[in-house]
Amino acid sequence: MKMSGAQILCESLAKEGVEVIFGFPGGAVLPIYDALPQYPQLRHILVRHEQGAAHAADGYARATGKVGVCMATSGPGATNLVTGIANACLDSSSMVAITGQVARPFIGKDAFQEVDITGITLPITKHNYLILDAGLMAKTVKEAFCLAQTGRPGPVLIDIPRDVQMEQVEFHYPRQLDLPGYKPTLEGHPAQIKKAAKLINEAQHPVILAGRGIIISGAYAELKQLAETAQIPVVTTLLGVSCFPESHALSFGMVGMHGMAYANLALYNTDLIIAIGMRFDDRVTSKISEFAPHAHIIHIDIDPAEIGKNVRVDVPIVGDVKRVLKALNKLIASTEHTDWLRQVEDWRKEHPSIEIRDSTSLLPQYVVSKIHEVTKGEAIIVTGVGQNQMWAAQHYCYDKPNTLISSGGLGTMGFGLPAAMGVKVGRPDSPVWLIDGDGSFQMTIQELATIVQDNIAVKMAILNNGYLGMVRQWQEMFYEKRYVATPLSCPDFVKIAEGYYLPGLRVKRKEEVVPAIKQAMEHDGPFLIDFMVEPEENVYPMVPPGATLVEIIEAPKKVEKAISDSAKLPVSNI
Ligand SMILES: Cc1ncc(C[n+]2csc(CCOP(=O)(O)OP(=O)(O)O)c2C)c(N)n1
Ligand SMILES: [Mg+2]
């Protein structure tokens, strides 16, 4: 039976189990939009800006483990997706982005709304396609979904000229794919696993450094088994937060620039790093030449390109981390590491890192800890970028798997609101809290209309400090307090909420925090709270850029107001 390219696209999406498309229409995708109503299983959510569609698809993918789908028209619609695609690429999020393209005879003529989107997105996609024959539509969609979610996940873009969408061809959905050259290695090499086990069994001061790969492959139980059997402390990257229960005795929190001082100390002093599903980002390693100077490194990752990219590795193991850990766990002897654990525990006592100082004013950390308390740790937290992101990562105790969703690699302000929307659509039964900055929120604020139109019950907490706070913090510490372009005027967010037909509250005092969070939770639908927090609060601990992981600036102790001159701050270099 003959069908149009647009119908074949929809049929293929349905065959791939797609439930939702985040999109925004335009001339070059009109044939697809016209076909959509024939496929009621494909829910379309109309965003207000295509960047929102990409972040929503990304959030949906991270929350569900399925592929997130976004769609945009040619030209400006396609370029508006670019930030979201790059974001998904850096954080290994499985996404299929569909763009309309000008009709084939117009390609290369600078036609109206023509951009070379496959050229533009070449370095930020796992793969991309320009479909020049509707007969290739079904096969291409199947390939795209396979690539997006297998191996190391990532975004795949499919660009479809308008006339290809209208072309009538026979529809056959391929049962199998032939992708020569694409064979992700899933099983780790047995000899390497043996070597790793030997190192682990012999190590005196081992540390597990876990990343998002644990979450992607669902290796929670295997990670726990490894840590518990050999009594190894677990630290995580930002994107690894929630891959291991944070209240577990072996959990020592996040490492890196704003990681826990004791986690960084453990990483600096360890004799063996077991790095799992992470990529030694510079926010994790800090000064690379002095990263873990005494350690052997075992690196388990599905992407061979990550091995040896940033740090020297003694035992590389390429494979799916769940499968590798399953095999590795069989060779691990039960051990105690009593002295080492006591040492790390002592560091935790000496450098509490996330203690919230006494203050009568409304501290952002306090707000985050109360969101944890009221939600009983059951919520999925989505963040903006900046101080709000770090406080959200530090002060909510993540015990449930995959409950922090944040833009790590690209650090994209504006990710929060649309991503939270995608998370809630994918996980409707979980409470979803957006913890955002006043600056980040304003970057994609228009998606408030989307959550209202589709009644997506995201609870929003804006940590409103009146600044591009993280940049202000750097100016305070490293540019002698010259606050250039960081004081930020904001609209009245409660009125904005009202303007979008949303309930909203402003909170200025500590005692109003818990009642406001409860009110938001009890409300059946989206809800916004504007928390007017201490404007010049800083994120601690902090490893200054270029420093080693243990040159840690810690929170000034027992003072009402954070000291602003970094020279006065205690720097521990142990
Ligand atoms: C799109 C984008 N532009 C610029 C930056 C640089 N940047 C990083 S954090 C930050 C400030 C964020 O301000 P806000 O959202 O208010 O969060 P706060 O740090 O105050 O919590 C900026 C400008 C970025 N990360 N992303
Ligand atoms: Mg701010």
Side-chain angles (χ1 to χ4, degrees):
M1 184 176 98
K2 283 202 167 179
M3 292 167 90
S4 72
Q7 285 172 313
I8 294 175
L9 172 71
C10 295
E11 281 283 346
S12 307
L13 294 176
K15 287 235 177 331
E16 288 298 324
V18 172
E19 290 163 349
V20 59
I21 301 168
F22 300 93
F24 198 90
V29 277
L30 264 184
I32 300 172
Y33 273 87
D34 197 45
L36 263 182
Q38 299 160 34
Y39 301 88
Q41 66 270 53
L42 301 175
R43 173 182 178 195
H44 181 269
I45 294 182
L46 177 68
V47 295
R48 295 301 182 272
H49 184 296
E50 293 86 349
Q51 182 183 350
H55 291 325
D58 184 344
Y60 174 90
R62 295 191 205 202
T64 60
K66 299 183 204 163
V67 177
V69 179
C70 57
M71 183 155 73
T73 192
S74 66
T79 54
N80 277 349
L81 291 178
V82 167
T83 300
I85 294 172
N87 192 77
C89 190
L90 277 159
D91 286 353
S92 312
S93 190
S94 50
M95 175 197 285
V96 168
I98 298 160
T99 49
Q101 183 54 278
V102 299
R104 282 167 294 186
F106 292 94
I107 290 179
K109 309 259 168 158
D110 289 338
F112 178 64
Q113 295 192 327
E114 181 191 2
V115 293
D116 173 10
I117 197 64
T118 48
I120 290 170
T121 58
L122 189 69
I124 53 163
T125 46
K126 189 167 170 186
H127 194 57
N128 67 24
Y129 299 88
L130 169 62
I131 302 187
L132 291 171
D133 171 357
L136 295 173
M137 181 78 73
K139 174 177 172 287
T140 306
V141 173
K142 193 167 175 74
E143 274 184 27
F145 275 77
C146 168
L147 292 174
Q149 61 191 320
T150 56
R152 177 179 181 169
V156 178
L157 180 132
I158 309 175
D159 197 25
I160 315 172
R162 192 173 189 277
D163 56 337
V164 173
Q165 297 166 31
M166 290 150 64
E167 200 179 356
Q168 299 278 330
V169 290
E170 285 293 331
F171 173 59
H172 302 286
Y173 203 62
R175 246 184 267 137
Q176 271 184 329
L177 281 178
D178 179 26
L179 289 170
Y182 180 74
K183 295 269 176 300
T185 305
L186 299 178
E187 304 293 346
H189 195 287
Q192 294 297 92
I193 292 176
K194 239 187 190 165
K195 270 192 217 165
K198 185 164 184 290
L199 279 183
I200 295 170
N201 291 335
E202 286 169 1
Q204 301 292 308
H205 309 140
V207 169
I208 294 172
L209 173 52
R212 201 170 104 78
I214 300 282
I215 295 172
I216 295 171
S217 79
Y220 307 103
E222 290 75 11
L223 172 63
K224 212 164 159 206
Q225 190 185 334
L226 174 64
E228 287 177 350
T229 309
Q231 288 295 297
I232 304 176
V234 178
V235 297
T236 73
T237 64
L238 170 68
L239 292 189
V241 169
S242 78
C243 77
F244 188 77
E246 289 197 320
S247 60
H248 193 290
L250 291 169
S251 168
F252 289 89
M254 178 171 84
V255 293
M257 180 173 273
H258 293 293
M260 305 301 101
Y262 42 87
N264 286 352
L265 283 162
L267 206 50
Y268 189 80
N269 289 289
T270 179
D271 61 355
L272 177 66
I273 294 177
I274 307 148
I276 314 172
M278 57 79 64
R279 59 182 177 84
F280 296 99
D281 179 87
D282 51 86
R283 284 293 192 269
V284 164
T285 60
S286 232
K287 190 177 185 180
I288 201 101
S289 58
E290 287 175 46
F291 176 70
H294 320 292
H296 283 115
I297 298 180
I298 298 168
H299 190 186
I300 307 170
D301 201 279
I302 196 149
D303 184 356
E306 289 300 343
I307 309 276
K309 188 179 83 179
N310 294 333
V311 299
R312 63 187 162 78
V313 172
D314 299 283
V315 182
I317 306 176
V318 175
D320 169 56
V321 301
K322 189 180 173 98
R323 298 193 195 199
V324 173
L325 287 181
K326 262 195 171 59
L328 183 64
N329 280 337
K330 291 189 187 134
L331 308 176
I332 299 300
S334 328
T335 327
E336 289 298 333
H337 295 127
T338 319
D339 292 347
W340 171 234
L341 283 172
R342 192 176 305 127
Q343 169 68 80
V344 186
E345 203 51 72
D346 285 349
W347 283 327
R348 170 144 58 189
K349 286 193 194 98
E350 285 160 28
H351 307 272
S353 296
I354 45 167
E355 216 170 47
I356 302 174
R357 70 191 166 90
D358 268 345
S359 172
T360 47
S361 62
L362 183 56
L363 297 183
Q365 303 92 319
Y366 176 84
V367 173
V368 175
S369 71
K370 290 295 162 191
I371 293 176
H372 176 258
E373 189 181 298
V374 176
T375 60
K376 302 191 180 75
E378 302 280 339
I380 304 178
I381 302 295
V382 186
T383 77
V385 165
Q387 293 181 312
N388 63 87
Q389 177 181 33
M390 294 302 131
W391 287 318
Q394 293 176 336
H395 293 276
Y396 195 94
C397 180
Y398 296 89
D399 270 342
K400 297 256 150 112
N402 197 18
T403 43
L404 174 64
I405 294 195
S406 194
S407 165
L410 198 65
T412 310
M413 288 174 69
F415 171 77
L417 178 57
M421 198 163 89
V423 170
K424 185 66 187 172
V425 168
R427 301 269 296 274
D429 298 332
S430 298
V432 175
W433 273 86
L434 167 68
I435 297 178
D436 214 348
D438 45 339
S440 296
F441 193 72
Q442 289 187 72
M443 280 215 172
T444 46
I445 195 168
Q446 70 284 345
E447 300 309 333
L448 286 172
T450 311
I451 63 172
V452 170
Q453 182 167 354
D454 282 71
N455 193 28
I456 304 169
V458 174
K459 314 295 175 182
M460 293 161 274
I462 302 174
L463 303 181
N464 186 348
N465 52 12
Y467 281 109
L468 298 170
M470 186 57 94
V471 182
R472 185 208 57 74
Q473 178 170 341
W474 282 47
Q475 289 172 331
E476 176 181 329
M477 291 179 157
F478 313 119
Y479 292 85
E480 291 160 336
K481 259 194 145 183
R482 290 187 296 275
Y483 292 170
V484 181
T486 44
L488 184 71
S489 80
C490 292
D492 178 332
F493 288 118
V494 178
K495 282 210 178 113
I496 290 282
E498 198 188 314
Y500 279 103
Y501 308 106
L502 271 171
L505 280 178
R506 177 163 303 107
V507 169
K508 291 184 174 167
R509 291 181 304 136
K510 276 173 96 168
E511 53 276 23
E512 299 163 356
V513 172
V514 169
I517 298 169
K518 284 189 174 153
Q519 195 178 329
M521 293 289 285
E522 278 154 22
H523 177 75
D524 182 21
F527 198 101
L528 181 148
I529 311 175
D530 182 18
F531 289 101
M532 308 297 287
V533 296
E534 179 68 26
E536 295 191 36
E537 187 65 15
N538 286 336
V539 179
Y540 296 110
M542 177 173 189
V543 177
T548 65
L549 263 186
V550 285
E551 291 175 281
I552 304 160
I553 304 172
E554 297 191 71
K557 290 199 177 98
K558 297 191 182 72
V559 283
E560 169 65 18
K561 176 77 190 69
I563 304 167
S564 57
D565 180 356
S566 66
K568 289 185 204 148
L569 299 172
V571 175
S572 44
N573 186 357
I574 303 160

